[in-house]
Amino acid sequence: MEKKMEVYLDNAATTKPNKEIKDIVNNSFDELYANPSSLHTLGVRVEREIKEVKKIILKDLSSSDGKMIFTSGGTESNNLAIKGAVNAYKRLGKHIITTEFEHKSILNTVGSLEDEGFKVTYIKPNSNGLIELNDIISAIQKDTILVSIMFVNNEIGTLQPIKEIGKYLSTLKNKPIFHVDGVQAFMKMKINVEELNIDLFSFSAHKIHALKGLGGLYVKKGIRIKPLMFGGQQENSLRPGTENTIGIFALKNAVLDFIKNRENYYNNVKELKRAFVNSITSELSDVYINGDFSKASPYIVNIAFVGVKGEVLLHYLEMKKIYVSTGSACNSKTKSFSYVLHAINVPDKLKEGSIRFSFSKFTTKNEIKYALDEIIFRVNEYRSMMKNGKK
Amino acid sequence: MYNLIMVRYSEIALKGKNRSFFEKILISNIKHSLKGLENYRVLKEHGRVYVEFEPKDYEEVIVRVKKIFGIVSLSPVVRVANDMDEIYKVSLIQAKKVLENNKYKTFKIEARRGNKSFEYKSPEIARMVGGYILSNIDELNVDVHNPDFSVNVEVRNSTYVFTEKIDCFGGMPYRSAGKAMLLLSGGIDSPVAGFLMGKRGLEIEAVHYHSYPFTSERAKEKVMDLAKILSKYFGRLRIHSINILEIQKQINENCPSEEMTILSRVFMMKLAEKLAEKNSCKALVTGESLGQVASQTIEGLNVTNSSVKLPVFRPLIAMDKIEIIRVAENIGSFETSILPFEDCCTVFLPDRVVTKPKLEKIERSLSLLDVEKLIDDALENIETQIFHPEDL
């Protein structure tokens, strides 16, 4: 590969916004700049636009009568879902169920509730990176008011059995609220909240080629939540503050694109991931996929390179304009390994060499080929260098 | 609002024939620190330096001048003519100002008559001004031994009245003692070492080693941030970055693994010396502190010492970690130093390091490497930056 290309394989962290969004942003400078709460026509037009975006999203989630609340992002959506729900239903119980490998915006939120007297059960995933329904069943108590499980794990990409969990929860007499963190799944796969019995569903705009600073929370009809902030009447007073209108217009573009091309994107990425993993596992010895490959989102794969330090490989790749992510940073004093890999019992020597590659609709075959060559070359070089070290 | 501060320096005043050399540098450093402000003047008078400025810049001037080495303390002052009525008036205003913010009960007047042609002697001035304040403010008493606050009256060519004394770093004017090369890492110690030597008047230039891509861009950023913090005190700081990955690879391949750290240090010293010679530095400065880590034993220091000819200043050699941290917090480098990005590569770190390296053994290990070539190659790709306080 002579040509210097840039290969962005950190799409689980954030994605490159769609080009069309530049024009959309321009338009909100020129025309749609008003406050949607204003009474005049300009405001009404912006408000109408926002309503339409909500409608599109709700329809895609197959909700006939649910609510859509815009927030500042995935973190706020998760905070609002969890705190909002337990504050609304704490009379009914003080027990929460979640998992050991949720995103920090879930773990630290329920952690803060533990300080307030709530009891939390953290389900341990199995070594394939999957939560087992039986563990949820045995964790349920009479006073369980909330179950929060992610759709796709952000570090290893594994798909959790949301359907089974939702189905089981719906049979309970004291049905807990079911929250799903859908940040890595939203729009990338078709999600039917009604069918999956989801009560609350979080998502984020910048993971699907829209802009940072906007997220959302789907709230099923009849489910009550308490606001985290107080102010005006926006979002039924559940999330006051002037709406991030530019972010919402940008999200519309990203959402429509996925609705139209979801299958295509999915199949392309799936093929890319398969080729990528095949290549790595056949060209290199001592590599392991973290999490069950067959039950994972095609957009994310996490690979352990034995004997390699993840962060060093990351920096070598960045020199070649290949951008990836690792959950373990080099640090002599504290072994800072990924808690997700820890939760699924990945041995230490694998943890420190684990890299997350996350793809997007923009990723091409050529990029993957270029990245593969570089990865294989560097891993081999690194391993031989470490072997030559005098012991 | 003040428009004048009085600057005191102590150690410079003890200098004999060279005194004016030091004073000149101090004044030039003060002027340099005030760059960018309007209408300021720096004047010298009787072993004091006065800085005049626009009242609106008062706080900024204090912040900047406070950091200058060689200054023991400073006071915001009001200048009046050598006339008792004037002195009465302004002393009363100053006393009232102090009482606005404090519930003080007692005070005293400290009078100094530097100007012997003035008609009253110091004790008389103190008595008269004290009496005037007493008769104008109820509820206030004189206590000459343990007053809540003092009003100072210094009679020179003009009279200066002040109530506040802001302590500064002391030391010697920066750049009054030649130049040295500081080995700056991302740790807690080396910025403190640089600060302390700068405070003795040494001009500091810095060198930093990294092993990118085995260490991250952020680790380098962190060191650059530390350099910017130091530049607040020095006025400017030139820093060189050198990649020593190739050297570490060679050590890793050819030498016993437990000597990795000490051998890397030998190279760091040798590289620093080369750079020092190129940049007319007459000493090296390190943050080594006896016994702090495995390579900072007396045997380790022997090895690093004998790898260079230049004198090596180690201002922290006898300091405890706690003392070092206190200085780091004081100069504002601590927060940055404890960020979790490492600038020395952990990849090559063996489980066991040699704590009492023998010189001849280390020399034998070095003989396995082409030291000259490794050093020259490392110096090929040197990056140099200059930071100023405004870069922070």
Side-chain angles (χ1 to χ4, degrees):
Chain A
M1 297 296 286
E2 281 309 298
K3 197 170 132 278
K4 193 85 170 136
M5 56 161 90
E6 184 174 295
V7 188
Y8 183 75
L9 299 177
D10 195 17
N11 290 282
T14 193
T15 53
K16 197 172 178 170
N18 294 330
K19 283 216 167 42
E20 302 79 27
I21 289 174
K22 284 184 186 170
D23 295 333
I24 292 168
V25 171
N26 265 337
N27 191 36
S28 25
F29 276 69
D30 301 337
E31 288 179 39
L32 290 172
Y33 55 82
N35 186 326
S37 299
S38 291
L39 294 177
H40 46 67
T41 344
L42 279 187
V44 173
R45 272 177 52 201
V46 173
E47 188 189 19
R48 204 180 300 139
E49 190 66 18
I50 292 176
K51 277 188 181 153
E52 199 209 341
V53 180
K54 285 188 180 185
K55 218 162 72 186
I56 295 168
I57 294 171
L58 284 168
K59 183 165 175 247
D60 188 65
L61 293 173
S62 314
S63 161
S64 48
D65 52 7
K67 252 201 313 261
M68 239 315 308
I69 299 169
F70 283 128
T71 66
S72 68
T75 292
E76 194 195 335
S77 293
N78 283 340
N79 271 265
L80 180 59
I82 288 176
K83 285 189 150 169
V86 302
N87 283 332
Y89 294 99
K90 61 186 168 199
R91 281 184 308 102
L92 304 177
K94 289 245 162 182
H95 182 238
I96 299 166
I97 297 174
T98 185
T99 78
E100 281 185 7
F101 69 165
E102 294 297 311
H103 188 266
K104 286 287 180 196
S105 60
I106 297 286
L107 291 176
N108 288 334
T109 304
V110 295
S112 77
L113 290 169
E114 275 189 287
D115 299 340
E116 292 174 28
F118 286 87
K119 296 192 308 291
V120 182
T121 303
Y122 298 92
I123 307 285
K124 192 177 173 62
N126 63 23
S127 55
N128 288 330
L130 299 166
I131 295 294
E132 292 178 14
L133 178 61
N134 282 339
D135 291 335
I136 304 264
I137 294 174
S138 41
I140 291 279
Q141 300 172 8
K142 266 208 269 313
D143 67 339
T144 306
I145 51 169
L146 176 76
V147 176
S148 176
I149 315 278
M150 65 200 335
F151 209 107
V152 170
N153 181 277
N154 53 302
E155 263 188 64
I156 53 177
T158 46
L159 279 160
Q160 302 314 309
I162 297 300
K163 192 174 177 176
E164 291 82 349
I165 296 170
K167 193 170 160 190
Y168 164 74
L169 293 178
S170 67
T171 62
L172 295 176
K173 194 157 69 76
N174 303 324
K175 188 187 149 342
I177 304 288
F178 187 30
H179 167 248
V180 173
D181 171 356
V183 168
Q184 295 293 352
F186 180 64
M187 288 294 148
K188 291 176 182 153
M189 36 200 92
K190 180 80 179 85
I191 291 165
N192 183 326
V193 287
E194 302 263 335
E195 213 174 82
L196 299 174
N197 292 296
I198 295 172
D199 297 320
L200 298 166
F201 181 86
S202 313
F203 67 86
S204 170
H206 73 100
K207 309 283 189 189
I208 59 162
H209 309 283
L211 301 178
K212 292 160 191 73
L214 181 77
L217 182 66
Y218 157 80
V219 183
K220 186 180 181 153
K221 188 181 162 71
I223 298 294
R224 286 183 297 121
I225 56 170
K226 287 265 170 74
L228 300 176
M229 294 192 293
F230 299 89
Q233 299 280 312
Q234 295 92 344
E235 308 285 3
N236 306 28
S237 301
L238 288 172
R239 208 292 186 176
T242 302
E243 292 85 345
N244 174 359
T245 54
I246 297 183
I248 294 169
F249 304 152
L251 179 65
K252 180 182 176 182
N253 164 276
V255 163
L256 290 175
D257 171 48
F258 265 103
I259 290 173
K260 192 169 151 215
N261 303 303
R262 181 163 26 219
E263 301 293 307
N264 265 342
Y265 293 158
Y266 189 93
N267 293 331
N268 289 345
V269 168
K270 194 170 160 180
E271 186 45 39
L272 287 178
K273 174 174 162 179
R274 200 188 52 78
F276 183 79
V277 171
N278 279 351
S279 219
I280 287 203
T281 46
S282 59
E283 303 272 332
L284 289 168
S285 58
D286 280 338
V287 290
Y288 300 92
I289 309 294
N290 293 316
D292 187 337
F293 183 77
S294 67
K295 295 200 175 65
S297 158
Y299 285 88
I300 298 174
V301 63
N302 191 304
I303 303 175
F305 301 87
V306 181
V308 174
K309 284 219 188 232
E311 195 188 333
V312 176
L313 184 54
L314 179 149
H315 294 315
Y316 265 117
L317 294 175
E318 86 190 1
M319 285 165 83
K320 296 285 176 186
K321 294 194 164 180
I322 300 163
Y323 302 103
V324 300
S325 152
T326 176
S328 56
C330 273
N331 196 318
S332 58
K333 291 181 189 61
T334 52
K335 284 271 185 256
S336 68
F337 293 144
S338 144
Y339 69 95
V340 170
L341 298 182
H342 181 77
I344 66 169
N345 289 342
V346 175
D348 273 11
K349 65 172 189 155
L350 297 194
K351 267 187 235 168
E352 77 176 3
S354 288
I355 299 264
R356 176 184 72 184
F357 303 92
S358 44
F359 313 104
S360 86
K361 59 171 189 171
F362 291 137
T363 314
T364 67
K365 274 204 179 84
N366 270 347
E367 289 176 350
I368 291 290
K369 190 175 170 321
Y370 170 74
L372 276 169
D373 289 348
E374 197 55 39
I375 292 161
I376 289 159
F377 171 75
R378 283 299 172 193
V379 170
N380 283 328
E381 182 199 51
Y382 186 105
R383 282 175 176 173
S384 70
M385 185 171 73
M386 294 328 277
K387 254 202 222 60
N388 293 343
K390 282 211 166 177
K391 286 292 164 242
Chain B
M1 225 21 195
Y2 293 101
N3 68 344
L4 187 68
I5 56 175
M6 180 198 290
V7 171
R8 300 177 194 84
Y9 45 91
S10 68
E11 198 170 334
I12 302 172
L14 304 177
K15 300 282 171 198
K17 293 199 176 74
N18 291 326
R19 182 165 154 174
S20 73
F21 161 80
F22 290 98
E23 285 175 337
K24 272 202 189 84
I25 294 183
L26 178 66
I27 286 168
S28 126
N29 290 349
I30 294 175
K31 283 181 176 164
H32 180 81
S33 79
L34 296 173
K35 265 207 182 107
L37 301 180
E38 298 149 19
N39 305 329
Y40 60 87
R41 291 204 306 163
V42 183
L43 323 153
K44 191 169 75 78
E45 190 187 295
H46 301 296
R48 295 257 197 274
V49 170
Y50 295 92
V51 183
E52 253 185 294
F53 45 87
E54 299 276 333
K56 67 172 167 57
D57 293 331
Y58 167 65
E59 272 161 20
E60 184 62 22
V61 168
I62 298 280
V63 165
R64 294 190 194 188
V65 176
K66 221 166 79 172
K67 291 195 181 79
I68 292 175
F69 299 142
I71 298 176
V72 176
S73 68
L74 51 87
S75 292
V77 295
V78 179
R79 183 171 45 198
V80 292
N82 292 345
D83 168 280
M84 274 325 274
D85 285 343
E86 293 278 330
I87 295 170
Y88 285 151
K89 217 172 15 187
V90 79
S91 301
L92 180 62
I93 292 172
Q94 290 277 304
K96 282 185 170 164
K97 208 171 172 166
V98 171
L99 292 170
E100 268 173 28
N101 304 318
N102 303 288
K103 288 197 166 66
Y104 288 156
K105 297 268 179 291
T106 60
F107 79 109
K108 88 186 254 200
I109 304 291
E110 302 244 16
R112 262 175 233 94
R113 185 181 62 148
N115 181 343
K116 299 303 174 202
S117 65
F118 191 67
E119 54 189 313
Y120 303 106
K121 295 196 174 78
S122 303
E124 292 173 324
I125 300 171
R127 246 198 330 274
M128 291 159 75
V129 176
Y132 183 80
I133 290 178
L134 277 176
S135 64
N136 277 285
I137 306 177
D138 304 332
E139 309 286 305
L140 199 57
N141 296 306
V142 172
D143 179 347
V144 290
H145 300 297
N146 199 6
D148 291 336
F149 73 100
S150 301
V151 178
N152 296 262
V153 179
E154 295 194 2
V155 183
R156 302 172 191 280
N157 289 353
S158 306
T159 297
Y160 298 92
V161 180
F162 59 91
T163 54
E164 238 187 309
K165 197 166 167 190
I166 299 167
D167 287 330
C168 304
F169 290 119
M172 298 292 285
Y174 190 70
R175 288 184 305 120
S176 64
K179 190 154 79 151
M181 184 64 71
L182 164 72
L183 283 74
L184 183 64
S185 75
I188 297 168
D189 301 342
S190 50
V192 172
F195 169 83
L196 291 175
M197 292 319 300
K199 190 156 79 78
R200 285 307 299 160
L202 261 186
E203 183 177 357
I204 300 288
E205 194 156 318
V207 56
H208 152 64
Y209 303 104
H210 63 90
S211 5
Y212 187 81
F214 276 62
T215 51
S216 80
E217 195 69 44
R218 283 198 175 91
K220 205 160 120 190
E221 281 295 303
K222 174 181 162 183
V223 178
M224 296 305 142
D225 285 344
L226 289 170
K228 288 174 194 170
I229 291 167
L230 285 175
S231 80
K232 281 199 307 195
Y233 303 96
F234 301 163
R236 69 192 278 275
L237 178 63
R238 203 153 159 241
I239 178 163
H240 310 277
S241 293
I242 303 182
N243 189 329
I244 54 164
L245 180 58
E246 201 41 50
I247 292 171
Q248 291 183 307
K249 279 185 183 173
Q250 292 296 325
I251 296 172
N252 179 56
E253 233 166 87
N254 299 297
C255 310
S257 69
E258 69 267 21
E259 291 174 3
M260 182 78 211
T261 314
I262 188 82
L263 286 169
S264 297
R265 282 204 83 92
V266 167
F267 274 95
M268 290 177 187
M269 296 297 276
K270 285 182 183 291
L271 283 163
E273 184 171 53
K274 272 253 159 114
L275 266 186
E277 281 159 4
K278 274 188 189 156
N279 295 287
S280 50
C281 297
K282 294 188 176 58
L284 302 179
V285 178
T286 73
E288 288 160 312
S289 169
L290 189 63
Q292 202 190 98
V293 291
S295 61
Q296 295 176 20
T297 56
I298 196 153
E299 292 84 359
L301 293 168
N302 253 300
V303 170
T304 49
N305 225 36
S306 35
S307 58
V308 291
K309 291 191 183 62
L310 283 179
V312 182
F313 296 153
R314 301 181 177 87
L316 312 188
I317 198 73
M319 282 170 81
D320 295 349
K321 196 76 193 183
I322 298 289
E323 295 174 297
I324 298 168
I325 287 174
R326 209 171 296 138
V327 182
E329 284 176 331
N330 192 17
I331 65 176
S333 61
F334 184 68
E335 289 292 313
T336 304
S337 286
I338 57 174
L339 292 171
F341 316 119
E342 309 224 342
D343 56 346
C344 58
C345 177
T346 56
V347 170
F348 300 114
L349 283 185
D351 300 332
R352 205 175 55 82
V353 292
V354 59
T355 54
K356 296 184 177 172
K358 290 205 168 55
L359 199 48
E360 51 277 19
K361 248 196 97 187
I362 297 295
E363 275 168 354
R364 205 172 322 132
S365 295
L366 283 171
S367 71
L368 303 169
L369 305 167
D370 188 346
V371 176
E372 283 308 306
K373 188 179 178 319
L374 284 170
I375 285 183
D376 290 340
D377 288 354
L379 289 170
E380 281 288 287
N381 301 312
I382 188 164
E383 288 172 39
T384 302
Q385 281 174 283
I386 296 178
F387 292 117
H388 299 90
E390 55 269 24
D391 294 328
L392 253 179

PDB file of all heavy atoms in Angstrom, chain B residues 165-179:
ATOM      1  N   LYS B 165       2.269  42.765  53.816  1.00  0.00           N
ATOM      2  CA  LYS B 165       3.566  42.267  53.369  1.00  0.00           C
ATOM      3  C   LYS B 165       3.324  40.905  52.750  1.00  0.00           C
ATOM      4  O   LYS B 165       2.865  39.986  53.427  1.00  0.00           O
ATOM      5  CB  LYS B 165       4.495  42.163  54.574  1.00  0.00           C
ATOM      6  CG  LYS B 165       5.935  42.062  54.221  1.00  0.00           C
ATOM      7  CD  LYS B 165       6.751  42.324  55.484  1.00  0.00           C
ATOM      8  CE  LYS B 165       8.207  41.926  55.270  1.00  0.00           C
ATOM      9  NZ  LYS B 165       8.939  41.951  56.545  1.00  0.00           N
ATOM     10  N   ILE B 166       3.576  40.775  51.472  1.00  0.00           N
ATOM     11  CA  ILE B 166       3.339  39.500  50.791  1.00  0.00           C
ATOM     12  C   ILE B 166       4.670  38.777  50.633  1.00  0.00           C
ATOM     13  O   ILE B 166       5.592  39.292  50.005  1.00  0.00           O
ATOM     14  CB  ILE B 166       2.698  39.751  49.403  1.00  0.00           C
ATOM     15  CG1 ILE B 166       1.354  40.466  49.589  1.00  0.00           C
ATOM     16  CG2 ILE B 166       2.525  38.439  48.647  1.00  0.00           C
ATOM     17  CD1 ILE B 166       0.784  41.041  48.310  1.00  0.00           C
ATOM     18  N   ASP B 167       4.773  37.590  51.242  1.00  0.00           N
ATOM     19  CA  ASP B 167       6.022  36.834  51.148  1.00  0.00           C
ATOM     20  C   ASP B 167       6.209  36.243  49.760  1.00  0.00           C
ATOM     21  O   ASP B 167       5.249  35.773  49.153  1.00  0.00           O
ATOM     22  CB  ASP B 167       6.038  35.701  52.178  1.00  0.00           C
ATOM     23  CG  ASP B 167       6.241  36.249  53.584  1.00  0.00           C
ATOM     24  OD1 ASP B 167       6.910  37.301  53.700  1.00  0.00           O
ATOM     25  OD2 ASP B 167       5.735  35.641  54.548  1.00  0.00           O
ATOM     26  N   CYS B 168       7.444  36.270  49.284  1.00  0.00           N
ATOM     27  CA  CYS B 168       7.738  35.702  47.966  1.00  0.00           C
ATOM     28  C   CYS B 168       8.774  34.596  48.114  1.00  0.00           C
ATOM     29  O   CYS B 168       9.076  34.179  49.223  1.00  0.00           O
ATOM     30  CB  CYS B 168       8.229  36.794  47.025  1.00  0.00           C
ATOM     31  SG  CYS B 168       7.050  38.155  46.915  1.00  0.00           S
ATOM     32  N   PHE B 169       9.317  34.144  47.013  1.00  0.00           N
ATOM     33  CA  PHE B 169      10.183  32.973  47.064  1.00  0.00           C
ATOM     34  C   PHE B 169      11.581  33.237  47.618  1.00  0.00           C
ATOM     35  O   PHE B 169      12.243  32.326  48.065  1.00  0.00           O
ATOM     36  CB  PHE B 169      10.332  32.367  45.660  1.00  0.00           C
ATOM     37  CG  PHE B 169       9.081  31.720  45.157  1.00  0.00           C
ATOM     38  CD1 PHE B 169       8.463  32.173  44.007  1.00  0.00           C
ATOM     39  CD2 PHE B 169       8.515  30.654  45.847  1.00  0.00           C
ATOM     40  CE1 PHE B 169       7.314  31.573  43.540  1.00  0.00           C
ATOM     41  CE2 PHE B 169       7.362  30.044  45.388  1.00  0.00           C
ATOM     42  CZ  PHE B 169       6.758  30.510  44.232  1.00  0.00           C
ATOM     43  N   GLY B 170      12.062  34.466  47.541  1.00  0.00           N
ATOM     44  CA  GLY B 170      13.446  34.698  47.919  1.00  0.00           C
ATOM     45  C   GLY B 170      14.379  34.188  46.826  1.00  0.00           C
ATOM     46  O   GLY B 170      14.025  34.178  45.653  1.00  0.00           O
ATOM     47  N   GLY B 171      15.566  33.731  47.221  1.00  0.00           N
ATOM     48  CA  GLY B 171      16.510  33.202  46.231  1.00  0.00           C
ATOM     49  C   GLY B 171      17.281  34.300  45.532  1.00  0.00           C
ATOM     50  O   GLY B 171      17.433  35.404  46.058  1.00  0.00           O
ATOM     51  N   MET B 172      17.781  33.963  44.342  1.00  0.00           N
ATOM     52  CA  MET B 172      18.594  34.896  43.574  1.00  0.00           C
ATOM     53  C   MET B 172      17.933  35.139  42.223  1.00  0.00           C
ATOM     54  O   MET B 172      17.208  34.294  41.734  1.00  0.00           O
ATOM     55  CB  MET B 172      19.988  34.292  43.353  1.00  0.00           C
ATOM     56  CG  MET B 172      20.752  34.037  44.640  1.00  0.00           C
ATOM     57  SD  MET B 172      21.192  35.582  45.435  1.00  0.00           S
ATOM     58  CE  MET B 172      22.524  36.075  44.358  1.00  0.00           C
ATOM     59  N   PRO B 173      18.196  36.302  41.619  1.00  0.00           N
ATOM     60  CA  PRO B 173      17.547  36.589  40.339  1.00  0.00           C
ATOM     61  C   PRO B 173      17.856  35.512  39.293  1.00  0.00           C
ATOM     62  O   PRO B 173      19.003  35.086  39.163  1.00  0.00           O
ATOM     63  CB  PRO B 173      18.142  37.933  39.917  1.00  0.00           C
ATOM     64  CG  PRO B 173      18.662  38.527  41.158  1.00  0.00           C
ATOM     65  CD  PRO B 173      19.066  37.398  42.053  1.00  0.00           C
ATOM     66  N   TYR B 174      16.824  35.101  38.593  1.00  0.00           N
ATOM     67  CA  TYR B 174      16.974  34.096  37.548  1.00  0.00           C
ATOM     68  C   TYR B 174      17.962  34.607  36.498  1.00  0.00           C
ATOM     69  O   TYR B 174      17.920  35.778  36.132  1.00  0.00           O
ATOM     70  CB  TYR B 174      15.595  33.847  36.914  1.00  0.00           C
ATOM     71  CG  TYR B 174      15.557  32.672  35.978  1.00  0.00           C
ATOM     72  CD1 TYR B 174      15.665  31.375  36.461  1.00  0.00           C
ATOM     73  CD2 TYR B 174      15.400  32.855  34.611  1.00  0.00           C
ATOM     74  CE1 TYR B 174      15.625  30.288  35.601  1.00  0.00           C
ATOM     75  CE2 TYR B 174      15.347  31.778  33.743  1.00  0.00           C
ATOM     76  CZ  TYR B 174      15.470  30.492  34.240  1.00  0.00           C
ATOM     77  OH  TYR B 174      15.430  29.423  33.387  1.00  0.00           O
ATOM     78  N   ARG B 175      18.841  33.716  36.060  1.00  0.00           N
ATOM     79  CA  ARG B 175      19.871  34.024  35.062  1.00  0.00           C
ATOM     80  C   ARG B 175      21.072  34.751  35.657  1.00  0.00           C
ATOM     81  O   ARG B 175      21.897  35.264  34.914  1.00  0.00           O
ATOM     82  CB  ARG B 175      19.330  34.895  33.904  1.00  0.00           C
ATOM     83  CG  ARG B 175      18.392  34.179  32.941  1.00  0.00           C
ATOM     84  CD  ARG B 175      18.004  35.084  31.793  1.00  0.00           C
ATOM     85  NE  ARG B 175      17.428  36.333  32.286  1.00  0.00           N
ATOM     86  CZ  ARG B 175      17.916  37.527  32.048  1.00  0.00           C
ATOM     87  NH1 ARG B 175      18.984  37.678  31.327  1.00  0.00           N
ATOM     88  NH2 ARG B 175      17.307  38.607  32.541  1.00  0.00           N
ATOM     89  N   SER B 176      21.166  34.806  36.988  1.00  0.00           N
ATOM     90  CA  SER B 176      22.326  35.499  37.545  1.00  0.00           C
ATOM     91  C   SER B 176      23.438  34.514  37.868  1.00  0.00           C
ATOM     92  O   SER B 176      24.490  34.896  38.349  1.00  0.00           O
ATOM     93  CB  SER B 176      21.935  36.284  38.802  1.00  0.00           C
ATOM     94  OG  SER B 176      21.514  35.401  39.823  1.00  0.00           O
ATOM     95  N   ALA B 177      23.202  33.205  37.619  1.00  0.00           N
ATOM     96  CA  ALA B 177      24.205  32.210  38.027  1.00  0.00           C
ATOM     97  C   ALA B 177      24.567  31.253  36.904  1.00  0.00           C
ATOM     98  O   ALA B 177      24.947  30.125  37.158  1.00  0.00           O
ATOM     99  CB  ALA B 177      23.687  31.432  39.235  1.00  0.00           C
ATOM    100  N   GLY B 178      24.424  31.696  35.659  1.00  0.00           N
ATOM    101  CA  GLY B 178      24.783  30.808  34.561  1.00  0.00           C
ATOM    102  C   GLY B 178      23.641  29.889  34.184  1.00  0.00           C
ATOM    103  O   GLY B 178      22.498  30.103  34.601  1.00  0.00           O
ATOM    104  N   LYS B 179      23.928  28.863  33.372  1.00  0.00           N
ATOM    105  CA  LYS B 179      22.865  28.059  32.789  1.00  0.00           C
ATOM    106  C   LYS B 179      23.123  26.573  33.014  1.00  0.00           C
ATOM    107  O   LYS B 179      24.264  26.131  33.008  1.00  0.00           O
ATOM    108  CB  LYS B 179      22.790  28.368  31.278  1.00  0.00           C
ATOM    109  CG  LYS B 179      21.576  27.781  30.607  1.00  0.00           C
ATOM    110  CD  LYS B 179      21.166  28.559  29.367  1.00  0.00           C
ATOM    111  CE  LYS B 179      22.035  28.208  28.177  1.00  0.00           C
ATOM    112  NZ  LYS B 179      21.321  28.368  26.896  1.00  0.00           N
TER     113      LYS B 179
END
